[in-house]
Amino acid sequence: MSKCGRKKYIKTNLRQMTMETVESQQDGSVTDSVAESKSAHMQTQTGQSSVPTLAQVATIAETDESAESEGVIDSHKRREILSRRPSYRKILNELSSDVPGVPKIEEEKSEEERTPPNIATMAVPTSIYQTSTGQYTATGDMPTYQIRAPATALPQGVVMAASPGSLHSPQQLAEEATRKRELRLMKNREAAKECRRRKKEYVKCLESRVAVLEVQNKKLIEELETLKDICSPKTD
DNA sequence: GGAGACTAGCGTCAGCATTG
DNA sequence: CAATGCTGACGCTAGTCTCC
């Protein structure tokens, strides 16, 4: 980032942080979801609790209006509240079982089988659209993009170490630790990309579903009006 | 045209879930 | 039960928009 951008960023965040601080100081309870999530995350930094989802945060904000602080919630209940929701893949697949036309997010395995290794493929963004009959249709370019990290694509300088038993010196151990870290970071990087892709797909799917339901709702309302007219003809 | 606001996307960390 | 996967949150960067 340029220095200008960096400055902008800091300023923006300072403003947000200030506002959050003011809010939390004003009423003693956190109403801002962002502030809530941030504070929750801070707790995780100190090893206190897990991170709530946005929806969960909203729920917490709603249900805990009367509660003065988190201390009121006993640890078990809080754990339930903060429990993790299923992955986007699961949610979308459950969704797809309700609505036959909704495309499933494909399993990792099949993606790998489909995509030759060492090849990064790019496709135009997935378009999930509805047909005139209200069915969801997924175009053929379902995998929005896939940048597969080839098995041999370890970062430069990262060498496949020998088995742990053959490591002797502290230096070797340090190198092994570094290598593991690099590997983990690389995998996590890819996982994060994939996760974001799925999330976008999931959101698109939900948006499509909303569109379909809105159309259906409109049609039903019109049908109802028609039936009303038929059943109660005007008496002039 | 410059400054600030807004947005999208990325890398990383942390912690729960899943798997072997 | 350790290793791995998944995902929310955070910090950051870069691009675009809007206002002056």
Side-chain angles (χ1 to χ4, degrees):
Chain A
M1 175 195 269
S2 61
K3 283 182 183 175
C4 175
R6 168 92 177 115
K7 217 163 64 182
K8 277 193 292 187
Y9 172 75
I10 291 172
K11 210 166 183 180
T12 307
N13 280 283
L14 272 177
R15 184 175 53 80
Q16 286 178 352
M17 286 163 69
T18 309
M19 287 175 68
E20 286 162 16
T21 310
V22 167
E23 271 188 26
S24 59
Q25 282 176 346
Q26 273 176 347
D27 56 7
S29 64
V30 182
T31 53
D32 185 306
S33 64
V34 176
E36 170 73 36
S37 64
K38 278 185 180 172
S39 66
H41 190 65
M42 290 306 166
Q43 284 184 339
T44 68
Q45 305 267 12
T46 56
Q48 289 290 324
S49 71
S50 61
V51 184
T53 64
L54 282 177
Q56 286 162 352
V57 167
T59 311
I60 292 169
E62 277 179 21
T63 55
D64 282 9
E65 274 181 351
S66 58
E68 290 298 320
S69 67
E70 279 191 26
V72 178
I73 310 171
D74 62 289
S75 60
H76 182 71
K77 192 175 179 182
R78 192 165 69 181
R79 193 173 174 81
E80 279 183 5
I81 291 171
L82 297 178
S83 68
R84 199 178 189 81
R85 68 172 185 177
S87 70
Y88 297 118
R89 185 189 299 163
K90 280 188 178 178
I91 294 174
L92 194 59
N93 288 345
E94 281 173 13
L95 210 63
S96 68
S97 64
D98 293 342
V99 184
V102 176
K104 290 191 174 190
I105 294 179
E106 297 183 34
E107 298 293 329
E108 209 66 34
K109 225 176 203 174
S110 61
E111 278 185 7
E112 283 172 3
E113 284 166 4
R114 214 179 41 243
T115 311
N118 304 336
I119 294 176
T121 61
M122 286 291 260
V124 289
T126 308
S127 57
I128 304 168
Y129 61 91
Q130 63 187 90
T131 66
S132 56
T133 56
Q135 292 269 329
Y136 294 103
T137 304
T139 51
D141 50 336
M142 200 55 199
T144 322
Y145 63 83
Q146 296 175 344
I147 303 173
R148 279 272 162 266
T152 56
L154 290 174
Q156 291 292 332
V158 177
V159 201
M160 293 304 285
S163 62
S166 64
L167 295 174
H168 301 300
S169 68
Q171 191 183 352
Q172 278 179 320
L173 289 172
E175 280 176 8
E176 170 69 4
T178 306
R179 186 194 66 83
K180 279 187 177 176
R181 177 182 155 76
E182 292 290 337
L183 193 62
R184 179 168 172 76
L185 286 180
M186 192 182 74
K187 281 186 177 179
N188 190 242
R189 200 154 44 228
E190 294 303 314
K193 281 180 188 173
E194 188 63 18
C195 182
R196 285 171 181 136
R197 186 190 68 79
R198 276 197 298 269
K199 187 174 184 177
K200 282 178 74 175
E201 204 172 297
Y202 170 66
V203 169
K204 271 186 187 175
C205 181
L206 288 183
E207 286 171 351
S208 300
R209 210 176 179 203
V210 166
V212 168
L213 290 175
E214 278 176 349
V215 169
Q216 283 181 354
N217 194 35
K218 197 176 174 184
K219 278 182 182 174
L220 286 171
I221 289 172
E222 286 173 2
E223 199 177 328
L224 181 64
E225 293 300 324
T226 309
L227 288 171
K228 273 184 184 174
D229 286 347
I230 293 172
C231 292
S232 58
K234 289 179 183 175
T235 54
D236 291 347

